[in-house]
Amino acid sequence: MALVKVASTSELRENGGKEVNVNGTRIALFHSGGKYFALEALCRHQDKPIAPGKVDGEVVECPWHSWHYNIRTGELLDFLEGVRLTTYKVDVRGSDIYIDL
Ligand code: FES
């Protein structure tokens, strides 16, 4: 486990997402409700990036075929039970966003 700086808060608008790459691991960051979230970047449907998806509260909609995930828990909210993207702990210090890998 190590804290890694991945972005600045100014790079993520409210209800926005951004993908970062940390040592080859693709991670989607989201900003919603004044909080920041980090999870696996690729949708479990067809491995497409979810960071450009529309965010509504704690839910992001995959921009490709509209699967929905909870950005806090990583849980898939459609069809299949028990499908979950890996989530990462986020720590915001000043204007810097860190995640725990
Ligand atoms: S790749 Fe995400 S819903 Fe199809």
Side-chain angles (χ1 to χ4, degrees):
M1 292 284 185
L3 281 183
V4 180
K5 184 188 169 198
V6 291
S8 297
T9 53
S10 60
E11 297 174 63
L12 278 153
R13 63 182 170 77
E14 176 72 23
N15 295 323
K18 174 185 172 67
E19 183 171 321
V20 295
N21 188 316
V22 183
N23 301 328
T25 301
R26 295 173 67 176
I27 295 171
L29 301 175
F30 294 104
H31 180 200
S32 178
K35 295 181 183 163
Y36 294 85
F37 303 88
L39 60 163
E40 250 181 287
L42 302 180
C43 182
R44 284 291 161 81
H45 179 216
Q46 289 185 355
D47 284 339
K48 306 278 194 194
I50 62 170
K54 196 169 71 177
V55 177
D56 183 5
E58 288 193 346
V59 177
V60 63
E61 181 179 270
C62 179
W64 298 86
H65 316 97
S66 303
W67 282 23
H68 296 86
Y69 295 91
N70 182 301
I71 57 176
R72 181 173 50 80
T73 66
E75 184 184 4
L76 175 68
L77 302 173
D78 310 298
F79 331 114
L80 308 168
E81 271 185 46
V83 175
R84 189 180 294 270
L85 298 175
T86 300
T87 57
Y88 301 91
K89 187 171 175 294
V90 177
D91 199 1
V92 179
R93 298 181 180 181
S95 60
D96 294 330
I97 303 171
Y98 293 83
I99 59 173
D100 202 351
L101 279 183

XYZ file of all heavy atoms in Angstrom:
800
model
N 0.845 -1.195 0.000
C 0.000 0.000 0.000
C 0.881 1.247 0.000
O 1.804 1.361 0.782
C -0.894 0.026 1.228
C -1.940 -1.053 1.234
S -3.251 -0.627 0.111
C -4.385 -1.967 0.427
N 0.550 2.175 -0.881
C 1.322 3.417 -0.939
C 0.426 4.514 -1.482
O -0.350 4.291 -2.397
C 2.517 3.230 -1.855
N 0.555 5.679 -0.897
C -0.207 6.818 -1.406
C 0.497 7.380 -2.629
O 1.706 7.616 -2.601
C -0.301 7.920 -0.341
C -1.325 7.735 0.776
C -1.310 8.962 1.677
C -2.717 7.503 0.215
N -0.255 7.558 -3.701
C 0.306 8.083 -4.943
C -0.510 9.291 -5.366
O -1.750 9.217 -5.441
C 0.232 7.019 -6.068
C 0.818 7.565 -7.355
C 0.931 5.738 -5.637
N 0.168 10.403 -5.659
C -0.548 11.580 -6.151
C -0.966 11.317 -7.594
O -0.130 10.935 -8.428
C 0.328 12.826 -6.066
C -0.438 14.057 -6.488
C 0.417 15.288 -6.608
C -0.430 16.351 -7.298
N 0.354 17.437 -7.848
N -2.248 11.501 -7.896
C -2.734 11.164 -9.227
C -3.323 12.358 -9.984
O -3.455 12.300 -11.208
C -3.791 10.037 -9.179
C -3.139 8.729 -8.765
C -4.931 10.384 -8.245
N -3.696 13.407 -9.286
C -4.311 14.551 -9.970
C -4.438 15.713 -8.989
O -4.183 15.564 -7.791
C -5.702 14.180 -10.496
N -4.844 16.853 -9.541
C -5.191 18.008 -8.716
C -6.705 18.164 -8.748
O -7.358 17.813 -9.740
C -4.564 19.282 -9.277
O -3.175 19.177 -9.247
N -7.241 18.724 -7.683
C -8.697 18.887 -7.624
C -9.203 19.759 -8.774
O -10.324 19.580 -9.240
C -9.120 19.497 -6.277
O -8.375 20.694 -6.057
C -8.870 18.526 -5.127
N -8.373 20.671 -9.264
C -8.800 21.560 -10.348
C -9.015 20.811 -11.664
O -9.633 21.322 -12.588
C -7.775 22.674 -10.562
O -6.528 22.119 -10.896
N -8.520 19.576 -11.746
C -8.668 18.796 -12.983
C -9.999 18.063 -13.051
O -10.325 17.470 -14.079
C -7.539 17.763 -13.089
C -6.157 18.371 -13.184
C -5.089 17.289 -13.133
O -5.054 16.445 -14.051
O -4.310 17.272 -12.174
N -10.750 18.082 -11.960
C -12.009 17.328 -11.927
C -13.149 18.250 -11.544
O -13.282 18.642 -10.391
C -11.908 16.205 -10.891
C -11.206 14.947 -11.361
C -10.597 14.228 -10.184
C -12.165 14.036 -12.085
N -13.991 18.549 -12.505
C -15.161 19.369 -12.184
C -16.179 18.515 -11.442
O -16.120 17.277 -11.486
C -15.764 19.954 -13.460
C -16.276 18.914 -14.408
C -16.833 19.497 -15.696
N -17.089 18.447 -16.665
C -18.119 17.619 -16.640
N -19.024 17.722 -15.687
N -18.264 16.679 -17.553
N -17.101 19.197 -10.756
C -18.184 18.477 -10.072
C -18.955 17.648 -11.108
O -19.241 18.132 -12.205
C -19.102 19.503 -9.391
C -20.321 18.928 -8.713
C -20.029 18.159 -7.425
O -18.990 18.396 -6.793
O -20.856 17.303 -7.069
N -19.259 16.412 -10.774
C -19.922 15.460 -11.676
C -19.075 15.107 -12.894
O -19.614 14.732 -13.939
C -21.290 15.962 -12.141
C -22.256 16.079 -10.990
O -22.241 15.255 -10.082
N -23.077 17.112 -11.004
N -17.761 15.238 -12.738
C -16.870 14.904 -13.838
C -15.980 13.722 -13.496
O -15.878 13.312 -12.339
N -15.349 13.180 -14.529
C -14.432 12.064 -14.351
C -13.145 12.295 -15.107
O -13.087 13.132 -16.013
N -12.133 11.545 -14.733
C -10.838 11.645 -15.405
C -10.127 10.313 -15.223
O -10.170 9.737 -14.135
C -10.008 12.756 -14.752
C -8.577 12.876 -15.256
C -7.814 13.931 -14.455
C -6.339 13.948 -14.804
N -6.059 14.394 -16.162
N -9.505 9.830 -16.289
C -8.739 8.592 -16.145
C -7.276 8.913 -15.911
O -6.725 9.815 -16.535
C -8.884 7.727 -17.405
C -8.147 6.396 -17.257
C -8.433 5.422 -18.385
O -9.588 5.340 -18.854
O -7.486 4.721 -18.785
N -6.668 8.179 -14.990
C -5.231 8.313 -14.754
C -4.600 6.929 -14.872
O -5.284 5.909 -14.783
C -4.939 8.905 -13.349
C -5.467 10.324 -13.254
C -5.515 8.030 -12.241
N -3.302 6.937 -15.109
C -2.574 5.684 -15.241
C -1.466 5.680 -14.196
O -0.601 6.546 -14.215
C -2.007 5.585 -16.661
C -1.395 4.227 -16.943
O -0.673 3.685 -16.101
N -1.668 3.678 -18.115
N -1.532 4.741 -13.281
C -0.518 4.660 -12.232
C 0.245 3.358 -12.406
O -0.293 2.273 -12.172
C -1.155 4.711 -10.827
C -0.068 4.689 -9.756
C -2.027 5.942 -10.681
N 1.469 3.475 -12.875
C 2.316 2.294 -13.095
C 1.603 1.218 -13.903
O 1.675 0.033 -13.581
C 2.788 1.708 -11.751
C 3.566 2.709 -10.945
O 4.255 3.562 -11.498
N 3.438 2.639 -9.624
N 0.888 1.651 -14.930
C 0.217 0.696 -15.813
C -1.187 0.324 -15.383
O -1.894 -0.370 -16.101
N -1.602 0.775 -14.206
C -2.968 0.507 -13.752
C -3.861 1.680 -14.121
O -3.582 2.817 -13.737
C -3.005 0.300 -12.218
O -2.148 -0.792 -11.887
C -4.411 0.006 -11.734
N -4.894 1.390 -14.892
C -5.818 2.457 -15.308
C -6.893 2.644 -14.248
O -7.568 1.683 -13.861
C -6.446 2.103 -16.662
C -5.412 2.064 -17.766
C -5.989 1.544 -19.058
N -6.972 2.452 -19.641
C -7.554 2.243 -20.825
N -7.252 1.172 -21.530
N -8.434 3.102 -21.294
N -7.034 3.894 -13.796
C -7.964 4.196 -12.705
C -8.849 5.371 -13.114
O -8.368 6.367 -13.669
C -7.176 4.536 -11.422
C -6.397 3.296 -10.961
C -8.106 5.035 -10.312
C -5.424 3.554 -9.856
N -10.137 5.237 -12.858
C -11.091 6.325 -13.129
C -11.325 7.103 -11.838
O -11.653 6.517 -10.803
C -12.408 5.750 -13.642
N -11.118 8.415 -11.915
C -11.413 9.302 -10.786
C -12.725 10.007 -11.075
O -12.988 10.400 -12.218
C -10.324 10.372 -10.638
C -8.892 9.923 -10.412
C -7.983 11.156 -10.414
C -8.778 9.173 -9.096
N -13.513 10.197 -10.027
C -14.763 10.946 -10.182
C -14.898 11.952 -9.045
O -14.367 11.734 -7.950
C -15.970 9.995 -10.180
C -16.018 9.077 -11.358
C -15.659 7.744 -11.241
C -16.406 9.559 -12.609
C -15.689 6.897 -12.337
C -16.446 8.716 -13.714
C -16.083 7.386 -13.579
N -15.620 13.020 -9.328
C -15.892 14.065 -8.346
C -17.401 14.245 -8.298
O -18.029 14.582 -9.304
C -15.198 15.357 -8.799
C -15.394 16.511 -7.871
N -15.205 17.812 -8.280
C -15.745 16.569 -6.568
C -15.446 18.615 -7.266
N -15.774 17.893 -6.210
N -17.959 13.981 -7.146
C -19.411 14.118 -7.014
C -19.767 14.462 -5.573
O -19.226 13.876 -4.632
C -20.091 12.807 -7.413
O -21.489 12.915 -7.243
N -20.673 15.409 -5.417
C -21.105 15.784 -4.072
C -19.961 16.322 -3.226
O -19.976 16.167 -2.007
N -18.969 16.922 -3.888
C -17.825 17.470 -3.157
C -16.816 16.412 -2.730
O -15.820 16.731 -2.090
N -17.058 15.147 -3.108
C -16.130 14.068 -2.739
C -15.472 13.500 -3.987
O -15.979 13.657 -5.096
C -16.887 12.948 -2.014
C -17.469 13.367 -0.685
C -18.167 12.178 -0.053
C -18.832 12.612 1.249
N -19.826 11.624 1.678
N -14.375 12.793 -3.760
C -13.631 12.190 -4.853
C -13.626 10.669 -4.691
O -13.568 10.157 -3.575
C -12.191 12.725 -4.876
C -12.157 14.195 -5.204
C -12.316 15.138 -4.199
C -12.027 14.634 -6.518
C -12.322 16.502 -4.493
C -12.036 15.986 -6.828
C -12.189 16.908 -5.813
O -12.204 18.242 -6.109
N -13.693 9.984 -5.814
C -13.785 8.526 -5.804
C -12.804 7.971 -6.846
O -12.535 8.625 -7.861
C -15.201 8.072 -6.178
C -16.265 8.641 -5.270
C -16.847 9.870 -5.552
C -16.656 7.951 -4.136
C -17.818 10.404 -4.713
C -17.627 8.479 -3.291
C -18.208 9.711 -3.582
N -12.310 6.774 -6.603
C -11.390 6.137 -7.549
C -11.756 4.671 -7.696
O -11.973 3.972 -6.705
C -9.950 6.263 -7.043
N -11.824 4.223 -8.930
C -12.117 2.815 -9.167
C -11.511 2.368 -10.488
O -11.023 3.195 -11.271
C -13.612 2.519 -9.103
C -14.606 3.188 -10.031
C -15.916 2.418 -10.025
C -14.892 4.602 -9.571
N -11.537 1.068 -10.670
C -11.055 0.476 -11.915
C -11.608 1.243 -13.099
O -12.794 1.578 -13.125
C -11.619 -0.941 -12.002
C -10.654 -2.051 -11.854
C -11.394 -3.380 -12.005
O -12.125 -3.748 -11.070
O -11.238 -4.014 -13.042
N -10.774 1.482 -14.118
C -11.169 2.374 -15.203
C -12.013 1.711 -16.284
O -12.641 2.408 -17.075
C -9.923 2.978 -15.843
N -12.008 0.374 -16.333
C -12.636 -0.285 -17.487
C -13.901 -1.039 -17.100
O -13.930 -1.801 -16.130
C -11.640 -1.246 -18.147
C -10.351 -0.577 -18.623
C -9.425 -1.604 -19.263
C -10.626 0.578 -19.582
N -14.926 -0.811 -17.884
C -16.226 -1.440 -17.667
C -16.129 -2.963 -17.811
O -15.410 -3.471 -18.670
C -17.197 -0.879 -18.708
S -18.870 -1.503 -18.574
N -16.862 -3.679 -16.985
C -16.837 -5.140 -17.032
C -17.605 -5.689 -18.241
O -17.552 -6.883 -18.507
C -17.433 -5.709 -15.747
C -16.513 -5.613 -14.566
C -15.309 -6.543 -14.725
N -14.212 -6.169 -13.866
C -14.120 -6.477 -12.582
N -15.056 -7.176 -12.022
N -13.079 -6.087 -11.890
N -18.313 -4.825 -18.955
C -19.052 -5.298 -20.120
C -18.104 -5.594 -21.280
O -17.943 -6.743 -21.679
C -20.119 -4.270 -20.523
C -20.906 -4.659 -21.725
N -21.327 -3.746 -22.650
C -21.330 -5.884 -22.163
C -21.992 -4.384 -23.603
N -22.012 -5.669 -23.328
N -17.445 -4.542 -21.783
C -16.535 -4.750 -22.920
C -15.216 -4.025 -22.732
O -14.582 -3.593 -23.708
C -17.201 -4.300 -24.218
C -18.327 -5.216 -24.657
C -18.919 -4.841 -26.002
O -18.557 -3.825 -26.612
N -19.841 -5.642 -26.482
N -14.817 -3.849 -21.487
C -13.514 -3.236 -21.175
C -13.331 -1.845 -21.767
O -12.226 -1.473 -22.174
C -12.363 -4.136 -21.641
C -12.164 -5.304 -20.711
O -12.612 -5.232 -19.546
O -11.560 -6.307 -21.155
N -14.401 -1.075 -21.822
C -14.290 0.302 -22.320
C -14.136 1.244 -21.126
O -14.603 0.945 -20.020
C -15.553 0.694 -23.094
C -15.927 -0.258 -24.206
C -15.150 0.006 -25.436
C -15.794 -0.742 -26.607
N -14.906 -0.793 -27.757
N -13.520 2.417 -21.348
C -13.287 3.352 -20.238
C -14.567 4.016 -19.735
O -15.380 4.485 -20.533
C -12.327 4.386 -20.829
C -12.411 4.225 -22.290
C -12.888 2.841 -22.597
N -14.698 4.056 -18.411
C -15.905 4.638 -17.814
C -15.716 6.091 -17.381
O -16.701 6.765 -17.081
C -16.404 3.810 -16.610
C -15.346 3.781 -15.495
C -16.787 2.412 -17.027
C -15.861 3.183 -14.197
N -14.473 6.586 -17.348
C -14.238 7.943 -16.830
C -15.042 9.027 -17.555
O -15.444 10.006 -16.921
C -12.746 8.278 -16.859
N -15.303 8.900 -18.875
C -16.103 9.952 -19.541
C -17.603 9.830 -19.277
O -18.382 10.609 -19.809
C -15.824 9.722 -21.037
C -14.699 8.745 -21.110
C -14.753 7.958 -19.845
N -17.998 8.860 -18.470
C -19.423 8.617 -18.244
C -20.110 9.724 -17.473
O -19.480 10.525 -16.784
N -21.421 9.740 -17.611
C -22.235 10.747 -16.916
C -22.374 10.350 -15.446
O -22.699 9.210 -15.129
C -23.610 10.824 -17.582
C -24.409 12.059 -17.221
C -25.613 12.197 -18.123
C -26.643 11.135 -17.803
N -27.874 11.247 -18.583
N -22.131 11.317 -14.558
C -22.203 11.057 -13.115
C -23.442 11.718 -12.535
O -23.725 12.891 -12.792
C -20.939 11.593 -12.406
C -21.054 11.392 -10.898
C -19.693 10.919 -12.945
N -24.185 10.940 -11.751
C -25.359 11.473 -11.067
C -25.318 10.944 -9.636
O -25.547 9.756 -9.401
C -26.628 11.007 -11.788
C -27.879 11.599 -11.162
O -27.758 12.425 -10.243
O -28.985 11.211 -11.589
N -24.976 11.806 -8.700
C -24.809 11.349 -7.319
C -23.678 10.340 -7.241
O -22.568 10.615 -7.687
N -23.980 9.149 -6.713
C -22.940 8.119 -6.593
C -22.958 7.151 -7.773
O -22.355 6.079 -7.708
C -23.129 7.328 -5.296
C -22.777 8.131 -4.060
C -22.672 7.251 -2.819
O -23.112 6.094 -2.849
O -22.148 7.757 -1.817
N -23.645 7.509 -8.838
C -23.785 6.578 -9.965
C -23.122 7.141 -11.224
O -23.327 8.310 -11.571
C -25.277 6.301 -10.254
C -25.439 5.385 -11.463
C -25.934 5.676 -9.036
N -22.323 6.297 -11.875
C -21.789 6.669 -13.186
C -22.397 5.732 -14.221
O -22.570 4.543 -13.977
C -20.246 6.603 -13.239
C -19.700 5.201 -13.013
C -19.739 7.156 -14.574
N -22.714 6.310 -15.367
C -23.245 5.524 -16.478
C -22.136 5.330 -17.494
O -21.572 6.312 -17.998
C -24.419 6.267 -17.115
C -25.040 5.520 -18.270
C -26.208 6.285 -18.864
O -27.337 6.095 -18.410
O -25.956 7.113 -19.770
N -21.814 4.089 -17.790
C -20.800 3.818 -18.813
C -21.260 4.457 -20.118
O -22.404 4.253 -20.543
C -20.599 2.317 -18.991
S -19.384 1.918 -20.276
N -20.374 5.239 -20.765
C -20.796 5.955 -21.962
C -21.007 5.064 -23.183
O -21.506 5.517 -24.202
C -19.647 6.942 -22.205
C -18.472 6.366 -21.520
C -18.996 5.554 -20.354
N -20.664 3.774 -23.072
C -20.722 2.908 -24.248
C -22.071 2.222 -24.393
O -22.708 2.301 -25.437
C -19.577 1.892 -24.196
C -18.258 2.607 -24.220
C -17.577 3.115 -23.146
C -17.523 2.985 -25.365
N -16.450 3.765 -23.563
C -16.376 3.693 -24.921
C -17.697 2.770 -26.737
C -15.435 4.203 -25.809
C -16.748 3.268 -27.614
C -15.632 3.975 -27.141
N -22.503 1.533 -23.359
C -23.796 0.830 -23.469
C -24.624 1.000 -22.200
O -25.462 0.164 -21.874
C -23.594 -0.659 -23.768
C -22.559 -0.920 -24.818
N -21.253 -1.240 -24.522
C -22.649 -0.873 -26.169
C -20.559 -1.392 -25.647
N -21.390 -1.175 -26.659
N -24.297 2.035 -21.433
C -25.146 2.480 -20.314
C -25.251 1.536 -19.125
O -26.268 1.538 -18.438
C -26.560 2.814 -20.829
O -26.488 3.789 -21.837
N -24.246 0.734 -18.878
C -24.240 0.025 -17.608
C -23.964 1.060 -16.510
O -23.257 2.054 -16.753
C -23.153 -1.058 -17.584
C -23.513 -2.303 -18.337
C -24.423 -2.428 -19.346
C -22.938 -3.598 -18.154
N -24.455 -3.721 -19.797
C -23.550 -4.464 -19.086
C -21.961 -4.113 -17.311
C -23.220 -5.814 -19.178
C -21.623 -5.457 -17.400
C -22.261 -6.295 -18.319
N -24.480 0.793 -15.309
C -24.348 1.753 -14.207
C -23.542 1.146 -13.062
O -23.761 -0.018 -12.694
C -25.730 2.174 -13.693
C -26.541 2.904 -14.720
N -27.326 2.245 -15.639
C -26.657 4.227 -14.972
C -27.897 3.151 -16.436
N -27.515 4.348 -16.052
N -22.677 1.954 -12.499
C -21.875 1.529 -11.351
C -22.002 2.545 -10.228
O -22.089 3.753 -10.483
C -20.383 1.448 -11.728
C -20.062 0.399 -12.754
C -20.072 0.718 -14.114
C -19.734 -0.892 -12.380
C -19.777 -0.237 -15.070
C -19.431 -1.858 -13.338
C -19.451 -1.528 -14.675
O -19.157 -2.479 -15.622
N -21.954 2.043 -8.997
C -21.826 2.923 -7.848
C -20.347 3.302 -7.741
O -19.483 2.420 -7.639
C -22.299 2.197 -6.579
C -22.221 3.090 -5.360
O -21.153 3.582 -5.002
N -23.347 3.287 -4.703
N -20.048 4.601 -7.757
C -18.643 5.016 -7.778
C -17.988 4.930 -6.394
O -16.782 5.025 -6.285
C -18.468 6.441 -8.364
C -19.289 7.468 -7.576
C -18.822 6.456 -9.845
C -19.069 8.909 -8.048
N -18.790 4.738 -5.355
C -18.215 4.574 -4.008
C -17.869 3.109 -3.734
O -16.810 2.804 -3.208
C -19.200 5.079 -2.949
C -18.701 4.974 -1.520
C -19.669 5.643 -0.554
N -21.046 5.201 -0.752
C -21.560 4.053 -0.279
N -20.815 3.261 0.457
N -22.816 3.725 -0.518
N -18.756 2.204 -4.176
C -18.549 0.777 -3.875
C -18.025 -0.008 -5.071
O -17.552 -1.134 -4.916
C -19.873 0.129 -3.438
O -20.782 0.146 -4.560
C -20.497 0.880 -2.275
N -18.143 0.552 -6.277
C -17.740 -0.160 -7.490
C -18.785 -1.131 -7.998
O -18.617 -1.770 -9.036
N -19.885 -1.246 -7.267
C -20.901 -2.261 -7.590
C -21.627 -1.951 -8.900
O -22.046 -0.821 -9.136
C -21.915 -2.304 -6.444
C -22.973 -3.358 -6.585
C -23.999 -3.269 -5.445
O -23.894 -2.348 -4.618
O -24.893 -4.106 -5.420
N -21.784 -2.979 -9.730
C -22.607 -2.863 -10.931
C -24.073 -2.855 -10.506
O -24.500 -3.715 -9.732
C -22.333 -4.038 -11.870
C -23.213 -4.113 -13.121
C -22.905 -2.961 -14.072
C -23.022 -5.447 -13.835
N -24.833 -1.905 -11.026
C -26.211 -1.740 -10.560
C -27.245 -2.341 -11.509
O -28.431 -2.287 -11.236
C -26.494 -0.246 -10.350
C -25.542 0.440 -9.363
C -25.777 1.937 -9.347
C -25.684 -0.147 -7.971
N -26.799 -2.890 -12.630
C -27.721 -3.487 -13.601
C -27.511 -5.001 -13.647
O -26.429 -5.490 -13.375
C -27.456 -2.946 -15.009
C -27.390 -1.437 -15.037
O -28.391 -0.801 -14.714
O -26.314 -0.904 -15.370
N -28.480 -5.690 -14.060
C -28.462 -7.118 -14.438
C -27.781 -8.073 -13.470
O -28.432 -8.857 -12.821
C -27.846 -7.349 -15.823
C -27.981 -6.234 -16.787
C -26.877 -5.533 -17.247
C -29.237 -5.836 -17.249
C -27.011 -4.497 -18.152
C -29.377 -4.802 -18.149
C -28.266 -4.137 -18.598
N -26.448 -8.011 -13.433
C -25.680 -9.078 -12.810
C -25.360 -8.746 -11.359
O -24.731 -7.734 -11.085
C -24.362 -9.278 -13.573
C -24.492 -9.479 -15.073
C -23.128 -9.367 -15.755
C -25.102 -10.846 -15.349
N -25.752 -9.621 -10.465
C -25.423 -9.394 -9.057
C -23.997 -9.816 -8.780
O -23.483 -10.753 -9.385
C -26.368 -10.208 -8.174
C -27.626 -9.432 -7.829
C -28.489 -10.208 -6.861
O -27.946 -10.741 -5.889
O -29.700 -10.280 -7.119
N -23.357 -9.113 -7.879
C -22.027 -9.529 -7.424
C -20.901 -9.070 -8.308
O -19.751 -9.433 -8.072
N -21.196 -8.268 -9.345
C -20.129 -7.737 -10.189
C -19.712 -6.391 -9.624
O -20.550 -5.533 -9.349
C -20.590 -7.581 -11.649
C -19.509 -6.914 -12.491
C -20.968 -8.936 -12.215
N -18.427 -6.217 -9.446
C -17.947 -5.037 -8.748
C -16.579 -4.631 -9.309
O -15.712 -5.485 -9.478
C -17.816 -5.417 -7.266
C -17.528 -4.311 -6.297
C -17.447 -4.903 -4.901
N -18.721 -5.426 -4.438
C -19.625 -4.710 -3.767
N -19.367 -3.461 -3.465
N -20.765 -5.241 -3.399
N -16.403 -3.359 -9.576
C -15.091 -2.862 -9.955
C -14.279 -2.608 -8.684
O -14.842 -2.218 -7.654
C -15.221 -1.532 -10.718
C -15.991 -1.585 -12.045
C -16.149 -0.178 -12.615
C -15.291 -2.483 -13.048
N -12.992 -2.810 -8.779
C -12.121 -2.529 -7.636
C -12.151 -1.038 -7.320
O -12.097 -0.212 -8.233
C -10.676 -2.948 -7.963
O -10.670 -4.339 -8.247
C -9.734 -2.656 -6.809
N -12.254 -0.704 -6.059
C -12.217 0.702 -5.656
C -10.920 0.973 -4.901
O -10.287 0.056 -4.368
C -13.404 1.056 -4.744
O -13.397 0.188 -3.608
C -14.730 0.924 -5.486
N -10.552 2.228 -4.886
C -9.320 2.646 -4.210
C -9.638 3.766 -3.231
O -10.480 4.626 -3.526
C -8.286 3.136 -5.230
C -7.929 2.097 -6.254
C -8.640 2.020 -7.462
C -6.911 1.184 -6.030
C -8.332 1.048 -8.407
C -6.594 0.211 -6.963
C -7.308 0.156 -8.153
O -7.002 -0.803 -9.083
N -8.962 3.760 -2.106
C -9.152 4.802 -1.105
C -8.547 6.108 -1.633
O -7.432 6.110 -2.172
C -8.458 4.387 0.191
C -8.713 5.299 1.350
C -8.145 4.663 2.620
C -8.274 5.614 3.790
N -7.456 6.822 3.655
N -9.299 7.188 -1.501
C -8.852 8.495 -1.983
C -8.549 9.393 -0.786
O -9.292 9.411 0.191
C -9.949 9.160 -2.842
C -9.516 10.557 -3.280
C -10.269 8.294 -4.053
N -7.464 10.118 -0.894
C -7.086 11.060 0.157
C -6.804 12.401 -0.520
O -5.975 12.464 -1.432
C -5.824 10.521 0.853
C -5.606 11.149 2.211
O -6.436 11.976 2.620
O -4.590 10.809 2.856
N -7.521 13.434 -0.123
C -7.294 14.766 -0.703
C -6.537 15.609 0.320
O -6.976 15.760 1.457
C -8.628 15.453 -1.066
C -8.367 16.842 -1.637
C -9.397 14.605 -2.066
N -5.389 16.102 -0.104
C -4.566 16.949 0.767
C -4.347 18.272 0.056
O -3.653 18.313 -0.966
C -3.229 16.281 1.057
C -3.394 14.959 1.795
C -2.084 14.297 2.099
N -2.299 13.038 2.805
C -1.325 12.247 3.228
N -0.064 12.584 2.990
N -1.618 11.140 3.863
N -4.972 19.314 0.580
C -4.928 20.592 -0.125
C -5.611 20.426 -1.455
O -6.773 20.002 -1.517
N -4.898 20.729 -2.540
C -5.489 20.573 -3.857
C -4.986 19.316 -4.565
O -5.191 19.147 -5.766
C -5.207 21.811 -4.717
O -3.812 21.973 -4.837
N -4.325 18.445 -3.835
C -3.769 17.224 -4.431
C -4.630 16.000 -4.086
O -5.052 15.830 -2.944
C -2.349 16.961 -3.937
C -1.374 18.039 -4.407
O -1.604 18.615 -5.485
O -0.399 18.293 -3.680
N -4.858 15.169 -5.112
C -5.616 13.941 -4.915
C -4.654 12.760 -4.913
O -3.897 12.563 -5.862
C -6.659 13.745 -6.040
C -7.589 14.942 -6.117
C -7.439 12.457 -5.843
C -8.511 14.919 -7.330
N -4.718 11.984 -3.845
C -3.893 10.794 -3.717
C -4.798 9.573 -3.689
O -5.923 9.650 -3.207
C -3.120 10.803 -2.398
C -2.063 11.874 -2.300
C -2.400 13.173 -1.933
C -0.714 11.578 -2.534
C -1.445 14.154 -1.826
C 0.253 12.564 -2.424
C -0.112 13.843 -2.075
O 0.837 14.808 -1.969
N -4.285 8.470 -4.198
C -5.009 7.225 -3.984
C -4.064 6.220 -3.344
O -2.843 6.313 -3.491
C -5.636 6.652 -5.264
C -4.577 6.391 -6.306
C -6.721 7.545 -5.793
C -5.151 5.676 -7.494
N -4.667 5.278 -2.641
C -3.908 4.255 -1.936
C -3.878 3.012 -2.805
O -4.918 2.396 -3.034
C -4.625 3.972 -0.602
C -3.679 3.354 0.396
O -2.550 2.992 0.009
O -4.081 3.241 1.564
N -2.724 2.694 -3.326
C -2.606 1.512 -4.201
C -2.024 0.337 -3.443
O -1.168 0.496 -2.631
C -1.693 1.825 -5.378
C -2.313 2.573 -6.542
C -1.305 2.729 -7.647
C -3.544 1.858 -7.068
S -18.592 -1.266 -22.263
Fe -19.641 -0.359 -20.576
S -21.684 -0.823 -20.946
Fe -20.685 -1.751 -22.618
